[in-house]
Amino acid sequence: MTIPKHVTFECCTEKIDIQDIETVEATLGVKFPRDYVECMLENNDGSPVPCGFDYGEVEGKVFNTFYSLSKEVGHYYILKAFWINQEYLPDGVVPIGYDASGGYVCFNYINGKHAEPIVVYADHEIMLSERDLGEEELKEKSMEEWQREGVCQEF
């Protein structure tokens, strides 16, 4: 993930320290990209400007806010977002922020939890858990396959 130089942030909370981020990484068992860490140290819980992004065939989504990387500072804590959505996301997908319509911008650690993640979009309208599927559907494809359909790899 590379934050373009022309992107600024607004509505950021007070600054956090590296221990906050290391706590989140240790809890999730992942390593965040260095540029993301540096950006969040300065812009925790912030909203990017400009805020528009495209993925796949979809144009003009609005990135609302990054999740806070501190449970003490910010509005929406990243671990809370992860735990709430864990049963709907495939293994290795971590929500880092959300858009204006309720979808999630995520890191996908499909290549390993310490490898550079891919930035993906998880559409909340097509995210599934085992409760959403019947026996026949689970015979057709694994839960992981169903969930990966709700995650767009193109960003």
Side-chain angles (χ1 to χ4, degrees):
M1 172 181 187
T2 301
I3 311 281
K5 298 287 184 216
H6 69 279
V7 173
T8 59
F9 291 83
E10 59 185 24
C11 303
C12 302
T13 61
E14 62 189 77
K15 291 186 181 184
I16 60 172
D17 59 41
I18 194 67
Q19 288 79 23
D20 292 314
I21 297 172
E22 289 170 348
T23 297
V24 172
E25 288 177 322
T27 301
L28 296 173
V30 300
K31 186 74 175 154
F32 290 133
R34 191 185 83 229
D35 55 352
Y36 170 74
V37 169
E38 290 171 0
C39 182
M40 292 300 103
L41 285 169
E42 296 295 318
N43 304 291
N44 185 55
D45 203 30
S47 300
V49 177
C51 59
F53 69 95
D54 303 331
Y55 73 93
E57 304 275 325
V58 178
E59 296 180 358
K61 294 298 277 183
V62 176
F63 194 128
N64 196 356
T65 292
F66 280 96
Y67 288 115
S68 175
L69 291 170
S70 169
K71 67 179 176 182
E72 306 299 324
V73 177
H75 299 96
Y76 304 105
Y77 187 38
I78 191 170
L79 290 179
K80 184 175 182 181
F82 176 77
W83 290 320
I84 288 170
N85 293 293
Q86 185 176 13
E87 69 179 300
Y88 299 99
L89 293 170
D91 186 46
V93 175
V94 176
I96 61 169
Y98 56 96
D99 72 1
S101 63
Y104 302 96
V105 175
C106 304
F107 283 147
N108 186 353
Y109 288 91
I110 195 164
N111 297 317
K113 294 200 175 183
H114 289 86
E116 188 75 15
I118 300 165
V119 179
V120 297
Y121 179 74
D123 187 337
H124 72 288
E125 293 183 11
I126 56 175
M127 290 169 43
L128 299 169
S129 74
E130 283 193 34
R131 293 186 315 262
D132 300 314
L133 300 172
E135 226 176 274
E136 289 302 313
E137 291 165 312
L138 287 170
K139 285 180 185 175
E140 181 184 329
K141 290 187 261 189
S142 71
M143 189 71 233
E144 177 88 3
E145 290 171 307
W146 284 106
Q147 289 176 330
R148 291 225 174 260
E149 287 182 4
V151 176
C152 179
Q153 298 291 335
E154 301 171 42
F155 210 91

